[in-house]
Amino acid sequence: MQTLQIDTGVEEFEVNGRGVLRFNPGDPNLYHRFFDLREQLAELEADLTRRTKALEETPDAGARTAGELVLLAEYDRRIKTMLGEVFGKHNDFDALLDGVNLAGLGGNGRPVVQNLLDALAPVLQRGAQATLEATARTAAAEAAAARAARGA
């Protein structure tokens, strides 16, 4: 069997000393999926808020707390599934984040999911910018070659 080695632009990023996140920061498809994820997360958060509010009417405080914890665990699983769809299923966000629930708060008081997105956004923006610049350079070189071939 022959082997093909294809440069896909995949880079590796160590996450909190726990594991490696692998993706191509210049992949336009990933870029769009990532920024679509922000909208999906807003919808998911609104659903979580609505469902948590419905639990407020549970008279038993223990049952209410248990219900809220179930909702947060579900929220965490759903977000990690979405992240796998954005970055590839080979990236296990539960392992990368050592099982931390993305609804939990980081040391800065912000949700862990927000800290994660904020850390990834500039990497993807730089990758997208590099892709756009490379595409523009290629288009300019091809246009110059076409003009030269026409004798212009």
Side-chain angles (χ1 to χ4, degrees):
M1 176 185 304
Q2 296 181 12
T3 302
L4 292 176
Q5 294 294 328
I6 300 169
D7 180 357
T8 59
V10 170
E11 295 181 23
E12 296 183 341
F13 300 86
E14 185 176 350
V15 178
N16 294 347
R18 305 218 188 280
V20 178
L21 177 60
R22 293 174 178 86
F23 64 94
N24 177 346
D27 180 347
N29 293 337
L30 186 137
Y31 183 86
H32 290 293
R33 289 192 307 265
F34 178 78
F35 287 99
D36 287 346
L37 174 68
R38 289 181 178 262
E39 292 177 28
Q40 294 169 359
L41 288 176
E43 293 170 13
L44 188 59
E45 190 172 320
D47 181 56
L48 175 66
T49 300
R50 180 187 53 76
R51 292 172 68 193
T52 301
K53 210 173 261 289
L55 286 172
E56 289 176 3
E57 298 180 22
T58 304
D60 180 349
R64 182 173 52 251
T65 299
E68 289 169 348
L69 290 173
V70 166
L71 288 177
L72 291 175
E74 177 187 324
Y75 178 78
D76 179 60
R77 279 190 306 278
R78 289 175 69 186
I79 294 173
K80 287 175 181 169
T81 297
M82 290 174 174
L83 287 166
E85 291 167 359
V86 170
F87 290 96
K89 299 198 186 309
H90 60 278
N91 289 303
D92 181 348
F93 282 87
D94 199 48
L96 287 170
L97 298 170
D98 201 30
V100 170
N101 187 308
L102 292 171
L105 297 179
N108 61 2
R110 299 177 67 223
V112 174
V113 67
Q114 190 61 51
N115 291 334
L116 174 66
L117 297 177
D118 289 348
L120 290 167
V123 173
L124 290 169
Q125 288 170 338
R126 282 191 302 272
Q129 185 64 37
T131 296
L132 291 172
E133 289 169 1
T135 302
R137 282 191 304 274
T138 299
E142 288 173 357
R147 280 193 302 277
R150 289 191 312 267

